[in-house]
């Protein structure tokens, strides 16, 4: 039985562990945290991610704890639509914790080692800071944006950040499955529906990297004059529930592999959040690896993974970076981008959106 060592117990790492286990490999996942705690806020899981979760066997568990996304809405600060599209295929808004729990159950606790801090990765070998060595046929680096095997391009600040949060129950009406993002000038809000009429929301604004993050009162003040859904979500949120963040990313990757090492998730393609595809692409990495690892010899996995995933991963990193310009670019660029998005006929935009949201049939491409 071939063996893989997974470095990192985040979404991409856990998903990759499941993928190799389903393909008949012996798996050990190493995570430096001593326990897996609830963390983060929520994730948009677009149809391509749902297809990946179905292949990994976790879609049902995630769906049970998520809210459906039925329509995407991009609008201005006053609510005037820029782009609005229904989603005919399954898409979900789930808390990061719900997805993490589903992945943990599917992987199995016996495959996850907690409190194991990795010091070095090399072909077929992982060395802990304690000096303990693990050997395998393949190493999968899921160590995030500062992954140990990917120091060629350093993360760069993208020019904006803010806060995100999960609200309590909102007193107003539900959002009927609309995932909305509102663009102002150098500031934007997003509001998404969760089960029990709760909300996931965020505020992003152009700011220096070291700028202090807005507190609850500043968010509430900033929401004045924006659509009611924004202020309702903030009003239903506890002041200590805000999670600050700054956005860092890397350029489109030149490769997804190092000798004897495969990179997944942010270790492979750390992107800005503007397409909501960061976690989705980590799940796609795993779906591709499941198809590949079940079909070819261990020595062939890395090359085939690179061939099937690199072009699509590069596209998402590149377009996610361009997505910032509609709210955080120079004012003339903001205007041009919004005008262009409004002007694109549905007949042209729909095939592009569908291609983005459709996971390739990796199993067929391996065969």
């Amino acid at each position: 039985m071939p063996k893989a060592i997974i470095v990192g117990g985040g979404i991409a790492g856990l998903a990759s562990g499941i993928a190799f286990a389903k393909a008949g490999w012996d798996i050990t996942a190493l995570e430096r945290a001593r326990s897996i705690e609830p963390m983060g806020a929520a994730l948009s899981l677009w149809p391509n991610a749902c297809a990946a979760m179905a292949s990994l066997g976790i879609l049902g568990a995630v769906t049970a704890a998520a809210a459906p996304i039925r329509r995407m809405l991009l609008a201005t600060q006053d609510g005037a639509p820029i782009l609005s599209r229904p989603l005919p295929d399954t898409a979900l808004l789930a808390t990061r914790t719900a997805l993490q729990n589903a992945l943990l159950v599917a992987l199995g606790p016996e495959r996850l080692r907690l409190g194991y801090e990795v010091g070095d990765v090399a072909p077929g070998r992982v060395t802990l800071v304690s000096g303990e060595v693990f050997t395998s046929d393949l190493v999968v680096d899921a160590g995030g944006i500062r992954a140990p095997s990917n120091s060629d391009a350093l993360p760069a600040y993208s020019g904006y950040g803010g806060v995100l949060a999960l609200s309590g129950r909102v007193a107003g009406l539900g959002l009927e499955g609309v995932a909305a993002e509102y663009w102002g000038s150098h500031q934007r809000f997003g509001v998404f529906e969760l089960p029990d009429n709760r909300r996931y929301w965020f505020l992003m604004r152009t700011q220096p990297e070291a700028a202090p993050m807005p507190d609850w009162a500043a968010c509430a003040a900033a929401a004045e004059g924006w659509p009611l859904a924004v202020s309702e979500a903030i009003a239903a949120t506890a002041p200590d529930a805000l999670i600050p963040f700054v956005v860092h990313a890397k350029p489109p990757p030149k490769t997804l592999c190092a000798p004897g090492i495969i990179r997944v998730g942010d270790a492979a393609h750390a992107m800005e959040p503007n397409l909501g595809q960061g976690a989705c692409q980590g799940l796609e990495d795993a779906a591709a690896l499941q198809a590949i690892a079940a079909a070819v010899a261990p020595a062939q996995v890395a090359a085939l993974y690179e061939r099937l995933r690199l072009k699509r991963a590069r596209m998402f990193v590149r377009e996610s970076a361009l997505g910032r310009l509609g709210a955080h670019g120079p004012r003339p660029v903001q205007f041009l981008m919004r005008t262009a998005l409004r002007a694109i006929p549905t007949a042209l935009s729909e095939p592009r959106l569908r291609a983005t949201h459709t996971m390739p049939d990796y199993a067929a491409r391996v065969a």
Side-chain angles (χ1 to χ4, degrees), residues 157 159-162 186-188 203-207 212-214 328:
Y157 179 53
Y160 58 99
H186 294 286
Q187 184 166 276
R188 52 179 158 151
L203 164 61
M204 294 186 193
R205 60 187 189 179
T206 306
Q207 59 187 25
M213 294 300 166
H328 303 291

Side-chain angles (χ1 to χ4, degrees), residues 96-109:
R96 180 179 288 272
T97 298
L99 175 57
Q100 177 181 277
N101 289 344
L103 290 166
L104 286 168
V105 170
L107 179 66

Side-chain angles (χ1 to χ4, degrees), residues 42-134:
L43 300 164
S44 49
L45 299 168
W46 301 111
N48 55 310
C50 291
M53 291 190 294
S55 73
L56 296 171
I58 64 167
L59 180 58
V62 176
T63 301
I69 300 175
R70 298 189 175 94
R71 175 175 289 273
M72 301 168 56
L73 172 65
L74 178 61
T76 60
Q77 178 176 340
D78 60 5
I82 298 171
L83 186 68
S84 179
R85 291 288 183 275
L87 289 173
D89 300 316
T90 301
L92 302 170
L93 196 286
T95 64
R96 180 179 288 272
T97 298
L99 175 57
Q100 177 181 277
N101 289 344
L103 290 166
L104 286 168
V105 170
L107 179 66
E110 72 281 1
R111 296 190 175 104
L112 178 62
R113 310 280 183 91
L114 297 173
Y116 282 61
E117 186 171 357
V118 172
D120 182 63
V121 296
R125 177 185 294 264
V126 174
T127 304
L128 304 184
V129 294
S130 65
E132 185 177 357
V133 175
F134 290 80

Side-chain angles (χ1 to χ4, degrees), residues 7-8 32 140-148 264 266-267:
V7 177
R32 66 181 178 181
V140 179
D141 190 349
I145 194 169
R146 291 175 175 84
V264 296
D266 282 351

Side-chain angles (χ1 to χ4, degrees), residues 197-224:
N197 210 29
R198 299 169 65 220
R199 304 285 185 267
Y200 161 59
W201 63 272
F202 62 77
L203 164 61
M204 294 186 193
R205 60 187 189 179
T206 306
Q207 59 187 25
E209 184 174 4
M213 294 300 166
D215 59 13
W216 185 94
C219 292
E224 293 181 5

Side-chain angles (χ1 to χ4, degrees), residues 269-298:
H269 39 68
M271 66 189 71
E272 296 182 40
N274 303 310
L275 298 181
Q277 282 283 340
C280 300
Q281 288 307 297
L283 292 166
E284 270 203 38
D285 290 339
L289 286 171
Q290 180 179 336
I292 294 166
V296 303

Side-chain angles (χ1 to χ4, degrees), residues 40-42 163-167 194 199-203 233 237-238 241-243:
V163 295
L164 45 84
L166 302 177
S167 81
L194 284 166
R199 304 285 185 267
Y200 161 59
W201 63 272
F202 62 77
L203 164 61
T237 302
L242 273 60
I243 302 170

